[in-house]
Amino acid sequence: MLSQAPRNTFWGAFYILHEITLRMKTWKYLMLFFAILVPLNAQAQSRIERIEPPSWWAGMHDPTLQIMVYGQDLKGYQVSTDYPGVQVVAVHDAFSPNYVFVDLLFHWDVQPGTVGLKLQRSGSPDLQIDYPLNRRRSGSAFRASFTPEDVIYLITPDRFANGLTANDQMPGMPDPYNRTDPFGRHGGDLQGIKEHLDYVKGMGFTALWINPVLENNQLAQSYHGYATTDFYQVDPRFGTNEDFQELSEQAAGQGLKVIMDMIANHCGDRHWWMQDPPFEDWLNYQGHPEITTHRRTVNQDPHASSADREKFSSGWFVTQMPDLNQRNVFMANYIIQNSIWWVEYANLSGIRQDTYSYPDKYFMANWTCRILNEYPNFNIVGEEWVGNPSIVSYWQRGKINQDGYTSCLPSLMDFPLTMALHQALNENSDFGSGWIRIYDVLANDFVYPDPGNLTIFPDNHDMSRILTQVGEDVAKDKLALAFILTTRGIPQIYYGTEILMSNPGTDSHGIIRSDFPGGWQGDRVNAFTGQGLTPEQKDMQSFIRTLLQWRQTNDAVRSGKLMHYAPENGVYVYFRYVDDQQVMVVLNKNNSPVKLDLSRFGERLQGIQEANDIISGQVMHFVDQLEIKPMQPLILELMK
Ligand code: CA
């Protein structure tokens, strides 16, 4: 919680003594006041404790940078530099005396080096900042990002693999290591991920989305990572900033792209600035938290009241996660620069933005456009957890909205498709239920400027695992996976899906995010090597591996157009196609075999003689009919 009393030692003492003298009103206490004041004042020396961002790069597209300097008694300092190509444009005092914000302008040909910034104030000793201006990697601006050609493996880092037990419990971090507590820290870390990159690559994934890795020095449930307490520091229980940089480098070496999970909406209530925020409006509802309504529709609803909009956007996500006020321009710059810093520092291939619709929406437009301005080929996926494609599409780049809202966000999580998939598999197939749910949602693709760039998933870290969603029915699970890996979009699979991890009988997040077997020394079962897996688990692992590895070789499924046919009799048929390649997918949700009359698909099957069955590996000759086994997907590479 915020304290109303000043935090600076000198002013804090002044405040307390002032209160005492007011109440006691005696000369004796006044004398005491001055006796203490003089030596305290002499000790209260200005000093710098933090500089954020801690470094920058020469040759960025945006020539400006705003540095936040935090320490003690910094108000009123002026800043100058004689570094060639760097100009101090402005210095801003904050409400708290312990911050200054320094605006720098870089000349286009400024050279990397150490920029000396001199801080001066009349009557105070000078302060000095040696600010690192680094050289960018070649090609940094035009870096490649994740695309529909990729398949993303989503990892919760505390729960994947424990590469280093020495960091399981760190000094000064109260949330204890406790592997028996589903909400405790289990010790998974970046070293664990590094050690198993070969497994991820071997499975056929091409990108990693890792749940947040930044410091979460919270009292409890810090394992999930969504309550940042330092935006420039990897949580020491996961590793160091350098470890994250190395992980990204090693992943790139294996052909794996790294997507960083970022949160612009909130921080953790034990974030260091909570003791001394720079401004009175650094947070929304600062000092008197209110919780958001979670009514995500207010951003689009033409009938929404201003009160509802305000409460949704400014309310805190939960009491432990203070809501950042991105309408404060210093906060806005802080978050945008922080994102760019991590792209550059960790050589990222993408960003996943949490709770995309919760922050100020004009800020989010600015955030996306400034990142895309630096990295024109970059992909960012936003989380908008609603089942309505009209609402999801509102945020995508290129969308023409009724209210004129535009942004630069390239991708969104396709929650409508996920929800439809769950319905499709759980309902009986009828005229208005079953596969038709998916068919109808995909028919809404006309509302998206770029439906092919949506990120699609059977589940994620925030919902019951897909196997549980379909009643622990492995056959349905396979249908779900076959669909996600062959329809339009960028597939994302949550770790453990490949070995049938599930959460029967509970929707506890701590259980959903269970430990990956084999990630801990002494684990009886090792999913990395296959040791101890049941035949059913091995079969699923092999099924997904087969599909993923095949997907890498087939342009039609990775980037082709989609044509689908209205589901009939519990069977959904669709095609992915490019000029010279074509894939036919048949999903049979019946408990009996189905004889599929092919004449209906003549539009796509003309001249097709043979097909390669991707799952069985067999070649089949095309005749008038296809027989599909009960509860099975059939994925066919068509050949003329
Ligand atoms: Ca560890």
Side-chain angles (χ1 to χ4, degrees), residues 110-233:
V110 67
Q111 294 304 301
T114 303
V115 179
L117 297 170
K118 187 177 273 186
L119 283 74
Q120 293 173 301
R121 183 174 67 185
S122 164
S124 302
D126 289 357
L127 299 170
Q128 172 81 17
I129 294 173
D130 292 325
Y131 195 75
L133 191 64
N134 300 319
R135 186 181 299 281
R136 300 181 77 183
R137 288 178 192 84
S138 74
S140 176
F142 295 94
R143 67 185 56 229
S145 196
F146 66 100
T147 73
E149 304 204 344
D150 288 304
V151 179
I152 303 165
Y153 193 55
L154 167 59
I155 288 177
T156 301
D158 184 56
R159 302 299 168 86
F160 186 62
N162 189 358
L164 201 63
T165 52
N167 63 14
D168 291 354
Q169 182 89 53
M170 294 300 279
M173 307 200 94
D175 189 11
Y177 169 83
N178 182 1
R179 225 183 139 197
T180 61
D181 176 1
F183 296 98
R185 307 246 8 156
H186 290 195
D189 48 36
L190 299 179
Q191 180 61 29
I193 300 175
K194 270 189 224 171
E195 287 170 5
H196 298 293
L197 289 172
D198 55 343
Y199 168 78
V200 179
K201 180 196 164 72
M203 281 296 297
F205 293 100
T206 59
L208 286 173
W209 159 23
I210 304 170
N211 284 142
V213 295
L214 297 186
E215 186 198 272
N216 269 234
N217 194 10
Q218 295 288 100
L219 294 176
Q221 296 200 26
S222 64
Y223 77 99
H224 60 61
Y226 286 96
T228 314
T229 54
D230 188 331
F231 282 94
Y232 282 98
Q233 202 62 53

